[in-house]
Amino acid sequence: MNKKNTNNNFKTDFPFFKNNPDLVYLDTAASSLKPQVVIDAIKEYYEQYCINPHSQDYQLAIKGNDIFEDTRKIISKFINSNENEIVFCPSATFAFNQIAYGLEKYLQENDEILLTNLEHSSLLLPFYRLIKTKKIKIKFFETNNQGVITIENLKKVLTPKTRIVAFANINNSLAIENNTEKLTNFIKDYGQKYLKNNDWVFKNILVIIDGTQSIAHTKTDVKKWNIDFFAFSGHKVFGPTGIGVFWGKNEWLNILEPLILGGGMNDCIETNGRFSLLASPTRFEGGTQNIAGVFGLGAAIKYLLSIGMENIKNHQISLKKYALQQLTKHLSNNIEIYSDNINSSNIIFNIKNVFAQDVANFLGTQNICVRSGTYCAKLLSNTLNTSATIRVSLYIYNCKKDIDLLVTALKKGINEGGDFLNEFF
């Protein structure tokens, strides 16, 4: 942990708070704030390098490429993978589109893909499109009342036609962590026993994990989990926007067709229309990458590691306990909380008889940043039985004072007539 932050005063590492001293930021699930070291790394690229790693004929380009590839090494160690399995891409959304596109040619009519109602649109829609192009079937399996995937519910939907199971190990709403290793082993055991289709090149059910929310909150171990694909966005883990990562087992990556074709990822191009692709990860990184973003992401992962995943988790648990105590103590007659598990970094709630967006907009007038709606998880209402909610998402730079200001603002909205609209009319 950084010595200057032994008292959890991490706000000093983030220029956002210096430039916005009156704001309470409770929207990390949408995007994390950026520490100075990440901003400095991006600035360093543009000021000292500003080169294309594809150029290798001069020393500055070679050095810049070394930093680029060092980030790949850092991430591979961070998630416990092989280095050549780490692919840079614009976002997790891009990654899931790439994965679905690459798998499309191997799917047959009536093959089944299993998802939950809590998944982000970025994971749902790339597979939804395959309903039209390949006439596959999408099936949903339930979570328990805390949003956790159970083996009992998986048993109800797995069939010999199941080809893919995809889910977030921590979703962006209720944010409860799934036991990915246990679930994957059960899925793989089922596939090994019942999968009889010799046309399926993967020979077992593929497990795809959305790590966009979990990457900054809990330890990732793709080898231990025994999964097949994993992806996350840099901006959720202190990094810049416009950079993401996807991982896949090397044997799978090298049989997937890339979504994007361009320079740097091909081995040869012939005049007869034939071309060949390089091996992973280069085959998926056509064109000039977001080099500054990779520099920033490398600094972000280093910063995260300097804090320690266990310290982050302990801080979140302590802060969420306090938040739940204060919300229930001061607003018990007016609030409905949907996520009271202390291991979650999110609090999902509504003020009774008030539309969620009205509350969120009111909080905005009080300099408190939260999110309302369904958080790009359009099927969330099927689980919560309400059309929209308010999300407070906590992270290492939040403190008890932030919670106190949130409670004070909510009490103000309730005491001024309870409709939270007085600030606007």
Side-chain angles (χ1 to χ4, degrees):
M1 182 183 291
N2 298 335
K3 290 183 179 180
K4 66 179 178 179
N5 283 327
T6 53
N7 293 320
N8 279 332
N9 186 25
F10 285 93
K11 280 183 165 65
T12 58
D13 288 349
F14 295 82
F16 175 91
F17 294 111
K18 180 180 179 180
N19 295 314
N20 301 281
D22 298 326
L23 278 183
V24 175
Y25 189 75
L26 299 172
D27 198 21
T28 291
S31 193
S32 66
L33 301 179
K34 319 308 173 196
Q36 187 65 53
V37 290
V38 170
I39 298 168
D40 289 344
I42 298 169
K43 185 179 178 183
E44 179 186 17
Y45 166 73
Y46 284 120
E47 288 185 346
Q48 298 185 30
Y49 295 92
C50 207
I51 48 80
N52 193 323
H54 289 171
S55 299
Q56 292 288 283
D57 296 320
Y58 49 95
Q59 287 302 309
L60 188 63
I62 293 171
K63 187 176 179 181
N65 184 67
D66 288 344
I67 296 173
F68 187 93
E69 292 301 328
D70 280 346
T71 300
R72 204 188 303 274
K73 293 176 183 177
I74 291 167
I75 294 170
S76 69
K77 291 179 180 178
F78 183 55
I79 69 171
N80 191 27
S81 75
N82 298 323
E83 186 182 332
N84 63 353
E85 296 171 333
I86 299 296
V87 180
F88 293 120
C89 60
S91 63
T93 298
F94 182 97
F96 294 126
N97 276 272
Q98 167 62 75
I99 293 167
Y101 175 82
L103 294 175
E104 180 177 3
K105 66 181 287 187
Y106 300 108
L107 290 164
Q108 304 294 325
E109 185 174 347
N110 293 322
D111 283 348
E112 297 171 354
I113 297 176
L114 306 188
L115 302 158
T116 81
N117 283 326
L118 299 178
E119 304 312 322
H120 194 280
S121 301
S122 299
L123 187 61
L124 293 179
L125 294 183
F127 292 111
Y128 266 40
R129 183 155 49 193
L130 301 183
I131 297 174
K132 295 181 178 180
T133 60
K134 299 295 288 192
K135 296 184 179 179
I136 56 96
K137 293 181 178 179
I138 298 290
K139 294 172 63 176
F140 288 90
F141 55 100
E142 296 179 353
T143 60
N144 66 16
N145 57 8
Q146 291 187 318
V148 178
I149 299 170
T150 65
I151 287 176
E152 288 69 26
N153 284 333
L154 273 173
K155 287 179 180 178
K156 297 175 183 177
V157 291
L158 283 169
T159 77
K161 293 294 290 181
T162 302
R163 296 292 177 264
I164 298 167
V165 180
F167 60 91
N169 56 326
I170 295 180
N171 61 60
N172 74 333
S173 53
L174 298 174
I176 304 298
E177 185 174 359
N178 288 300
N179 189 332
T180 304
E181 181 182 2
K182 182 179 179 181
L183 294 170
T184 302
N185 286 337
F186 175 78
I187 293 166
K188 296 292 186 180
D189 287 346
Y190 179 94
Q192 198 168 40
K193 186 175 180 180
Y194 294 106
L195 207 67
K196 304 298 183 182
N197 192 333
N198 293 326
D199 294 333
W200 183 239
V201 67
F202 305 98
K203 304 303 180 185
N204 206 328
I205 299 170
L206 296 179
V207 177
I208 301 172
I209 297 297
D210 178 357
T212 306
Q213 292 296 325
S214 68
I215 192 69
H217 296 276
T218 192
K219 181 176 175 58
T220 299
D221 193 327
V222 296
K223 288 184 179 178
K224 184 180 179 182
W225 291 350
N226 194 27
I227 61 177
D228 298 282
F229 295 96
F230 177 87
F232 68 92
S233 289
H235 73 96
K236 299 292 180 79
V237 60
F238 297 129
T241 55
I243 186 68
V245 170
F246 78 88
W247 165 90
K249 289 181 177 177
N250 191 53
E251 57 189 314
W252 304 153
L253 290 178
N254 284 307
I255 64 172
L256 296 191
E257 293 294 326
L259 182 61
I260 299 296
L261 298 175
M265 45 80 75
N266 57 81
D267 184 35
C268 70
I269 302 176
E270 301 175 6
T271 57
N272 61 8
R274 294 178 182 175
F275 63 93
S276 60
L277 302 175
L278 294 170
S280 172
T282 313
R283 69 191 282 115
F284 298 104
E285 294 179 355
T288 299
Q289 298 299 294
N290 181 358
I291 308 163
V294 172
F295 273 54
L297 181 57
I301 300 299
K302 289 177 182 177
Y303 178 78
L304 183 75
L305 292 171
S306 76
I307 300 172
M309 300 303 296
E310 196 65 27
N311 291 321
I312 291 174
K313 180 169 285 191
N314 290 339
H315 178 72
Q316 287 176 176
I317 290 173
S318 175
L319 193 57
K320 184 164 183 179
K321 281 183 179 179
Y322 180 77
L324 291 173
Q325 289 169 356
Q326 295 304 303
L327 288 169
T328 54
K329 176 182 177 180
H330 295 283
L331 303 163
S332 59
N333 295 325
N334 301 96
I335 194 169
E336 185 171 2
I337 298 174
Y338 302 92
S339 55
D340 58 0
N341 189 307
I342 61 169
N343 291 312
S344 163
S345 58
N346 292 356
I347 302 172
I348 306 296
F349 70 95
N350 269 326
I351 298 300
K352 294 178 181 178
N353 302 316
V354 185
F355 183 54
Q357 191 172 8
D358 291 340
V359 176
N361 286 342
F362 171 81
L363 290 175
T365 69
Q366 307 302 302
N367 293 323
I368 297 175
C369 308
V370 299
R371 176 81 180 270
S372 66
T374 57
Y375 330 115
C376 295
K378 297 293 186 181
L379 302 179
L380 176 63
S381 58
N382 295 344
T383 298
L384 298 184
N385 295 316
T386 184
S387 61
T389 56
I390 302 150
R391 181 183 67 191
V392 165
S393 45
L394 308 171
Y395 207 36
I396 194 69
Y397 37 63
N398 294 122
C399 59
K400 289 182 178 180
K401 182 181 177 181
D402 295 337
I403 302 303
D404 294 339
L405 291 170
L406 170 67
V407 171
T408 298
L410 289 171
K411 288 171 65 177
K412 179 182 178 182
I414 291 168
N415 292 334
E416 292 184 358
D419 61 7
F420 287 82
L421 297 176
N422 288 346
E423 294 291 323
F424 306 101
F425 301 103

